[in-house]
């Protein structure tokens, strides 16, 4: 693997990825998978990357249609295609095994890849991951009722609507972005730091991937392959994360054969930003136990 920025046509789409860090060649590199869906790898590499690069070779990927990667001409954004992109990238890099580190929706991809290609996974770092839509959307609904009392009850008949549909309809006419910011950050200082990094990158989430996935697979998604993920998993979640909700992360970890859960008391959805020193220490320690 050659350090630096790369753009390659992989699985029919020109993908951007960057390789950085020093580590013995025999040690499995770490692939960072960003969330969103539709975000990018810039902020994680900027906020935490250099800390982890001291002991591991890191690969930062912008998923198809995200960040600096090309938007697929055919609009294909299924989980199957996204996982296939990762496997094609592994082959492109000539890596036999790697560690998958997924944040939010990136955690979903890490789990799904681990089920499909277990022989190529040395371990998983699962950060604020999305694994159970019903659980996460129930958290959204609870927070909407707390932050906007009565907003849900003013909507038309809702008995036959999912929590997701109820929340999205109730957000019409209010500042939806403010609501989602409150789900992710319990301290506005960290939101401002995140926004400054995003402005520095010049990258935006177009919403294309998110719309495609939530109109098909993600509104009813629940990860069902836990028994097949036998590699070591480090799961990290923030106590104040109401974007995915600690409940869903706790429930997932109970079903994984070889998982450890760390709950960060001062964090929301971005523990690598909100408790950076602890995150570096915990992840570095975990990685040191892997080949």
């Amino acid at each position: 693997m050659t350090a630096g920025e790369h753009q390659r046509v992989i699985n029919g789409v020109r993908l951007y990825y960057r390789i950085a860090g020093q580590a013995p060649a025999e040690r499995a590199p770490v692939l960072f998978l960003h969330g969103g869906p539709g975000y990018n790898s810039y902020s994680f590499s900027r906020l935490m990357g250099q800390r982890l690069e001291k002991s591991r070779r890191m690969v930062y990927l912008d998923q198809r249609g995200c960040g600096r990667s090309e938007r697929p001409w055919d609009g294909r954004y299924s989980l199957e295609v996204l996982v296939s992109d990762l496997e094609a990238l592994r082959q492109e890099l000539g890596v036999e095994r790697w560690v998958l580190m997924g944040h939010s929706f990136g955690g979903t991809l890490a789990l799904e890849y681990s089920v499909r290609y277990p022989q190529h996974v040395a371990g998983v770092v699962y950060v604020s991951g999305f694994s159970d839509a019903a659980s996460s959307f129930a958290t959204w609904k609870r927070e909407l009722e707390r932050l906007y009392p009565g907003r849900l009850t003013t909507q038309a008949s809702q008995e036959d609507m999912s929590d997701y549909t109820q929340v999205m309809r109730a957000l019409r006419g209010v500042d939806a972005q403010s609501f989602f910011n409150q789900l992710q950050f319990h301290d506005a200082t960290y939101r401002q730091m995140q926004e400054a990094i995003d402005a520095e990158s010049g990258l935006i989430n177009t919403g294309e991937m998110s719309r495609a996935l939530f109109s098909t697979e993600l509104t009813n998604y629940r990860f069902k392959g836990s028994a097949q993920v036998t590699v070591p998993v480090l799961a990290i979640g923030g106590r104040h994360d109401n974007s995915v909700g600690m409940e869903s992360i706790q429930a997932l970890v109970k079903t994984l054969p070889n998982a450890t859960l760390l709950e960060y008391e001062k964090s929301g959805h971005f523990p690598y930003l909100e408790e950076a020193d602890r995150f570096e220490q915990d992840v570095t320690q975990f990685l040191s136990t892997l080949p």
Side-chain angles (χ1 to χ4, degrees):
M1 299 196 305
T2 305
E5 296 182 290
H6 304 268
Q7 292 200 25
R8 299 280 191 275
V9 176
I10 298 173
N11 204 24
V13 177
R14 185 174 296 278
L15 297 180
Y16 169 93
Y17 61 93
R18 186 173 71 87
I19 298 172
Q22 302 297 323
E26 66 271 14
R27 305 211 69 186
V30 177
L31 173 66
F32 175 73
L33 299 169
H34 63 75
Y39 193 44
N40 60 76
S41 64
Y42 182 89
S43 69
F44 181 86
S45 68
R46 180 79 163 72
L47 292 165
M48 181 54 59
Q50 290 184 351
R51 296 179 180 228
L52 301 180
E53 290 161 19
K54 291 182 289 187
S55 59
R56 283 279 172 161
R57 184 63 62 93
M58 299 290 298
V59 181
Y60 305 102
L61 169 70
D62 284 356
Q63 297 151 29
R64 60 168 54 206
C66 304
R68 294 146 289 190
S69 287
E70 182 181 43
R71 296 167 66 187
W73 65 270
D74 55 6
R76 295 174 69 215
Y77 287 108
S78 68
L79 290 175
E80 180 180 0
V81 168
L82 290 164
V83 169
S84 296
D85 287 350
L86 306 185
E87 174 57 11
L89 174 61
R90 184 196 65 79
Q91 295 177 27
E92 171 82 13
L93 297 177
V95 172
E96 182 57 32
R97 298 178 80 202
W98 53 7
V99 179
L100 303 180
M101 180 183 298
H103 175 247
S104 195
F105 173 67
T108 311
L109 295 180
L111 292 177
E112 293 290 347
Y113 181 95
S114 298
V115 169
R116 290 171 172 79
Y117 302 100
Q119 71 275 23
H120 297 307
V121 181
V124 174
V125 182
Y126 182 83
V127 186
S128 307
F130 178 78
S131 65
D132 185 341
S135 177
S136 293
F137 299 152
T139 300
W140 291 15
K141 184 178 177 180
R142 182 195 69 210
E143 287 301 296
L144 182 67
E145 291 173 329
R146 182 178 70 85
L147 295 168
Y148 298 94
R151 184 78 193 179
L152 283 166
T153 59
T154 62
Q155 305 304 303
S157 176
Q158 303 179 70
E159 289 77 9
D160 57 345
M161 295 182 196
S162 67
D163 286 346
Y164 175 77
T165 301
Q166 289 183 45
V167 169
M168 297 310 289
R169 290 196 177 189
L171 286 174
R172 294 174 183 173
V174 302
D175 185 351
Q177 187 57 58
S178 175
F179 171 70
F180 287 114
N181 284 341
Q182 290 178 84
L183 293 185
Q184 296 182 59
F185 298 97
H186 77 290
D187 185 335
T189 301
Y190 293 110
R191 176 180 58 77
Q192 292 163 6
M193 292 172 63
Q194 185 78 45
E195 289 175 349
I197 294 292
D198 289 340
E200 176 184 293
S201 76
L203 303 172
I204 63 170
N205 186 339
T206 66
E208 183 173 283
M209 176 192 277
S210 184
R211 287 190 296 271
L213 288 169
F214 276 102
S215 68
T216 53
E217 299 174 272
L218 291 190
T219 50
N220 297 304
Y221 178 78
R222 185 175 187 184
F223 180 65
K224 299 178 181 179
S226 293
Q228 298 162 266
V229 183
T230 57
V231 296
V233 176
L234 175 64
I236 297 174
R239 185 168 72 88
H240 302 282
D241 181 6
N242 292 310
S243 180
V244 296
M246 271 305 302
E247 296 89 346
S248 67
I249 300 175
Q250 292 165 345
L252 171 72
V253 167
K254 289 178 181 178
T255 68
L256 294 169
N258 191 10
T260 299
L261 173 63
L262 299 179
E263 182 172 339
Y264 283 28
E265 292 296 320
K266 301 176 183 178
S267 291
H269 192 56
F270 294 88
Y272 60 83
L273 166 64
E274 297 161 296
E275 293 183 68
D277 290 342
R278 180 183 177 185
F279 186 93
E280 176 190 2
Q281 180 179 345
D282 290 338
V283 172
T284 300
Q285 167 61 27
F286 175 73
L287 292 177
S288 72
T289 67
L290 303 178

